[in-house]
Amino acid sequence: AGGAKPAGGSGDFVASKPKPAAADPFASLSLGGPKAAAAATSSGGIGALKAPAPAPMGGGMGGMGGGPPPKPEPRMEDVPLIQCAACKATVRRAFHVAKTLRAGGKGASEMSLLTAIAPLCDTSAEAGEWLHDYDMQEQTDGTVALKRMSSHGECGVECATAGAACQRVLDDVDSELAEKLFGDAYSSHDALVAEVCG
């Protein structure tokens, strides 16, 4: 009587007997203070358990600090398939740029026109954003058409391929095109397209 106490919270009572402190793994933590806790930690007791360190946050995922996605690569083997359509689209766009330049009162020298049309095929530049509206579509006869879509989208592989075809056109005719645009002899882009692209 008087020496009985609950054991382990089970509801059964047993006579209490003095026990060495080392026999109770919790004794050093509950009664021994900081020194005992340190001893338990060094001996691999319960005090040695530690929560894992939080993982560092950083830019390992795309769109969460990892930088912009890579620029899509064109399919160069498809460029010849859309070369004619790309020529027509590029000349029409150059005609529109020249018309806008004149309307803005900024002057339209041959050099300024050449400068204005130079970045037309760069899909990452503002001047080349018009190419984001185009898509490549295979036709029933096996040919590939360059179609203007109703909505403005992100530039993927097909847009990049159209940009490569556009650049090939400008590499061939940029000076001639700037000269013809400077002459302002065309009332519509259709006649200019027919002369430049054939």
Side-chain angles (χ1 to χ4, degrees):
K5 58 180 180 179
S10 64
D12 295 298
F13 285 80
V14 296
S16 60
K17 295 181 180 180
K19 294 182 180 180
D24 183 0
F26 297 95
S28 60
L29 297 179
S30 59
L31 301 175
K35 291 183 178 180
T41 300
S42 63
S43 63
I46 207 163
L49 296 177
K50 295 182 180 179
M57 299 199 49
M61 296 177 64
M64 294 183 67
K71 186 177 179 180
E73 294 294 329
R75 288 195 298 262
M76 298 306 295
E77 66 272 17
D78 289 346
V79 168
L81 303 176
I82 59 170
Q83 194 67 64
C84 182
C87 181
K88 294 176 181 178
T90 302
V91 171
R92 283 195 297 266
R93 186 65 184 181
F95 184 88
H96 170 75
V97 168
K99 185 176 179 181
T100 303
L101 192 62
R102 289 192 183 93
K106 297 179 181 179
S109 66
E110 187 173 336
M111 182 56 67
S112 67
L113 288 167
L114 187 59
T115 301
I117 66 175
L120 283 184
C121 305
D122 184 354
T123 57
S124 62
E126 183 178 354
E129 286 186 354
W130 65 280
L131 285 162
H132 295 208
D133 299 341
Y134 283 82
D135 191 20
M136 294 167 55
Q137 296 181 353
E138 188 172 354
Q139 306 301 294
T140 55
D141 60 357
T143 60
V144 179
L146 193 60
K147 295 288 186 180
R148 186 173 184 179
M149 310 305 289
S150 58
S151 60
H152 186 81
E154 295 294 327
C155 188
V157 173
E158 294 182 351
C159 163
T161 304
C166 168
Q167 189 60 57
R168 186 172 290 183
V169 171
L170 281 189
D171 289 344
D172 290 340
V173 304
D174 57 349
S175 298
E176 176 190 355
L177 184 57
E179 182 180 349
K180 292 181 182 299
L181 290 170
F182 175 68
D184 196 21
Y186 303 91
S187 57
S188 72
H189 56 65
D190 292 332
L192 183 60
V193 166
E195 186 166 339
V196 175
C197 302

